[in-house]
Amino acid sequence: MRLPALPLLVLLVVPGVTLAQGDTRLAFLGRQLTQGKDPRSRSQAALVLGATEDPEAVTPLCGGLKDPSELVRAAVAKSLAKLQESSALPCLEAHKTEADATVQAAVREAVIALKEYQARPPRFYVSLEGMKDLTRSLPAELVKATEARLRSRLIRRGALLAPAKESKAAAKGALKKLGLHGYRITPEVHAMEGGGLRVAIVCLSYPDLSLLGQVDVKAAGAQPADLLKALVPRAVEEAAETFEWSNET
């Protein structure tokens, strides 16, 4: 049953040290992958990066495909498959002619896995607006990275993202062909009084643009980058539950 168009407020207050550790973890793992002296430690770093569900892990992992150790390169390929980021396909396909048979097989399997992930049937259709920085203080690169993380989370949830500037007629045609429900999503970042950030997702029907509601999650006690990394996944999960995206067929 569709919930009424009322705000849903979820309070997420996490100790600053926890979020800070989460933020530095990606950088730490990236250094371990590139600078670790033992191939086993580099392989372990690659495997952990693949489990982060963070699109920013693609860059260090793709770099790891050039590691001198076959053990590390194979671990990197497996991790890129697990990460499920389609942006990793070009670097994987560039290493399809790997000399080592084990690494070549891992790369080939990763390419197949990512192409299958791309081709899976969508569960709902989303017109995603750009992230709105209503704090007017966040660095442009942080806003861009946050939007990329949101996009990745929506795709994991089964969203098919609509083309930019899609016409109403084209949207209706796509929805009819796919047999899906459509949503227009506007993500916003707000500053909270006394510190912290609030991420809001405003959801409308698409392409008719009737307001369905809004979800809000907020956190304090860490730097903006740390807070946003924690808030975006939670905001998508709350929106999926509120607007019943998981029930789409």
Side-chain angles (χ1 to χ4, degrees):
M1 181 177 67
R2 183 74 60 204
L3 294 182
L6 295 174
L8 173 69
L9 181 62
V10 178
L11 179 62
L12 176 66
V13 179
V14 187
V17 63
T18 302
L19 289 175
Q21 287 172 349
D23 182 51
T24 58
R25 185 172 179 233
L26 203 66
F28 171 77
L29 291 169
R31 288 194 299 272
Q32 284 292 103
L33 178 58
T34 57
Q35 301 174 15
K37 295 181 179 180
D38 185 351
R40 290 173 298 181
S41 67
R42 299 200 301 276
S43 298
Q44 183 62 30
L47 293 173
V48 178
L49 279 167
T52 60
E53 297 187 352
D54 193 326
E56 292 183 14
V58 170
T59 298
L61 282 171
C62 280
L65 287 173
K66 300 176 182 178
D67 194 278
S69 167
E70 293 86 355
L71 178 68
V72 176
R73 298 199 302 277
V76 165
K78 291 177 182 178
S79 293
L80 285 170
K82 185 175 183 180
L83 193 62
Q84 294 184 324
E85 290 293 334
S86 299
S87 60
L89 273 171
C91 74
L92 283 165
E93 291 180 326
H95 289 82
K96 286 171 71 174
T97 56
E98 254 281 352
D100 181 82
T102 300
V103 179
Q104 187 179 100
V107 169
R108 182 173 61 252
E109 290 170 6
V111 169
I112 292 171
L114 288 182
K115 287 184 175 180
E116 288 178 348
Y117 176 70
Q118 279 186 321
R120 76 198 194 287
R123 303 181 73 176
F124 56 103
Y125 196 71
V126 170
S127 172
L128 179 62
E129 292 193 0
M131 178 73 67
K132 294 184 178 180
D133 172 23
L134 299 183
T135 73
R136 294 177 173 79
S137 64
L138 298 175
E141 62 271 17
L142 177 56
V143 175
K144 183 178 180 181
T146 302
E147 186 176 318
R149 188 169 291 107
L150 175 64
R151 188 178 296 267
S152 174
R153 282 282 168 174
L154 287 168
I155 292 172
R156 286 177 186 275
R157 262 287 176 179
L160 175 62
L161 300 183
K165 299 181 180 179
E166 183 179 45
S167 70
K168 188 172 183 177
K172 286 187 172 182
L175 290 168
K176 183 177 181 180
K177 180 180 179 180
L178 295 166
L180 300 176
H181 292 295
Y183 302 92
R184 166 72 62 83
I185 294 175
T186 303
E188 302 172 346
V189 184
H190 300 256
M192 294 198 307
E193 186 175 351
L197 294 175
R198 174 169 63 90
V199 171
I201 292 182
V202 181
C203 187
L204 296 86
S205 64
Y206 181 75
D208 296 327
L209 305 183
S210 298
L211 180 63
L212 299 176
Q214 175 177 321
V215 298
D216 296 82
V217 294
K218 61 183 180 179
Q223 294 298 313
D226 310 333
L227 295 176
L228 290 170
K229 284 187 177 183
L231 287 171
V232 165
R234 185 61 183 271
V236 171
E237 293 306 306
E238 292 298 335
E241 181 178 346
T242 301
F243 307 114
E244 301 178 352
W245 294 342
S246 297
N247 299 331
E248 302 294 339
T249 56

